[in-house]
Amino acid sequence: MRVVNLDLDNTLIYSYKHDIGNRKMNVERYQGREISFMTEKTHELLRQIKSRCLVVPTTTRTKEQYDRIDLKAGAFQYALVCNGGVLLVDGQKDYAWHEESRRMISDCASELRRGAELLKCEPLRKFELRFIEELFLFTKCGEPQRVAASLRTALDSRKVDVFHNGEKVYVVPGKLNKGAAVERFRRYVGADEVIAAGDSEFDMSMAERADVGIVPAGFCKRYGADSALEEMKGESIFSEEMLSRIKELIDL
């Protein structure tokens, strides 16, 4: 069995803030607004790949945020949300998977509490502090790079990682990463081969632990990633370039 783990945001779909051309379709609405889009070519390639492989959306989004998306490619039997800490099977949470995730990160509880205390008092915080599925911390801040740097200094890097993406700031147990989720899911379904693709620091471990990891141009230098990853050339939008490469691989 071949499994294809795909990040969503800026890998398959793009927010309204990105110019992805006119040949696109809306895939996410929020409070009546169209907020995320996919190119028509991406959609066609995704449908072709999904007909031949087990495609698993693999995202840091929560279940609620994931459920807003309609990729118009039919139902996905599996999805990994909350950075891989939650497995959805036919759209429903697998509670055994979630409990195993919580056991995996039990030794990080004190650092997560410390991170929560620091963020509650953070003057640059501009959004509520959320403890997502009792797995990791999330909020939004002004000057997120500065906030993240401060958290990295204060917290034990052996226990937790700190990320920022735009104004979003995360404190995540080191064991709760997409790479670990990919390995768990490989065992879960008995996969023979895993192809994974993503665009951000959250996706690095997933790409590195897959049999084939596909990332955008410049990714390895930017994040200090394994040079064995397949970087795209950046000659077209990443979603199209990446899915075209996956189609080549499965056609071999």
Side-chain angles (χ1 to χ4, degrees), residues 72-91:
K72 299 176 174 62
F76 289 83
Q77 184 179 3
Y78 300 104
L80 287 161
V81 301
C82 298
N83 220 41
V86 173
L87 172 66
L88 303 181
V89 181
D90 296 325

Side-chain angles (χ1 to χ4, degrees), residues 109-121:
S110 61
E111 285 306 294
L112 287 171
R113 285 194 296 270
R114 175 66 176 151
E117 291 168 1
L118 292 169
L119 283 168
K120 285 176 183 177
C121 300

Side-chain angles (χ1 to χ4, degrees), residues 42-249:
T42 298
H43 177 252
E44 180 55 32
L45 287 166
L46 178 63
R47 287 181 62 88
Q48 292 176 28
I49 293 166
K50 186 172 178 287
S51 70
R52 298 179 57 187
C53 304
L54 179 60
V55 175
V56 182
T58 306
T59 177
T60 306
R61 283 178 176 242
T62 64
K63 181 181 184 302
E64 179 184 18
Q65 292 167 333
Y66 171 76
D67 286 343
R68 295 198 303 250
I69 297 173
D70 179 6
L71 297 176
K72 299 176 174 62
F76 289 83
Q77 184 179 3
Y78 300 104
L80 287 161
V81 301
C82 298
N83 220 41
V86 173
L87 172 66
L88 303 181
V89 181
D90 296 325
Q92 301 302 310
K93 184 191 295 186
D94 183 315
Y95 287 95
W97 182 284
H98 185 218
E99 286 305 308
E100 182 181 352
S101 298
R102 292 182 62 191
R103 286 195 297 271
M104 284 170 50
I105 66 168
S106 59
D107 63 339
C108 304
S110 61
E111 285 306 294
L112 287 171
R113 285 194 296 270
R114 175 66 176 151
E117 291 168 1
L118 292 169
L119 283 168
K120 285 176 183 177
C121 300
E122 174 55 61
L124 291 169
R125 184 168 60 86
K126 54 191 285 189
F127 188 73
E128 66 182 329
L129 177 61
R130 295 179 178 175
F131 189 23
I132 305 297
E133 295 283 359
E134 299 183 18
L135 296 172
F136 62 90
L137 301 172
F138 164 79
T139 191
K140 297 179 183 179
C141 297
E143 300 184 51
Q145 187 170 2
R146 177 179 166 186
V147 173
S150 176
L151 286 168
R152 290 190 186 107
T153 300
L155 298 174
D156 186 346
S157 62
R158 296 169 299 179
K159 299 287 187 180
V160 296
D161 295 318
V162 179
F163 300 97
H164 68 90
N165 184 4
E167 63 184 4
K168 300 172 184 176
V169 175
Y170 303 82
V171 180
V172 184
K175 297 175 183 177
L176 187 76
N177 59 67
K178 290 186 180 182
V182 162
E183 291 186 346
R184 289 171 67 189
F185 191 77
R186 185 198 291 264
R187 297 191 297 269
Y188 183 89
V189 295
D192 301 305
E193 181 185 22
V194 175
I195 300 171
D199 73 291
S200 75
E201 191 173 6
F202 279 113
D203 304 308
M204 184 165 65
S205 62
M206 172 173 75
E208 289 180 338
R209 296 194 198 183
D211 297 296
V212 180
I214 301 175
V215 294
F219 182 96
C220 293
K221 182 177 180 180
R222 181 177 182 183
Y223 295 117
D226 189 334
S227 59
L229 299 180
E230 283 202 35
E231 281 196 354
M232 299 295 94
K233 295 180 180 179
E235 296 174 348
S236 63
I237 189 169
F238 178 54
S239 63
E240 296 177 357
E241 209 172 12
M242 171 270 296
L243 290 177
S244 295
R245 176 57 180 150
I246 292 176
K247 188 172 183 298
E248 288 178 2
L249 290 169

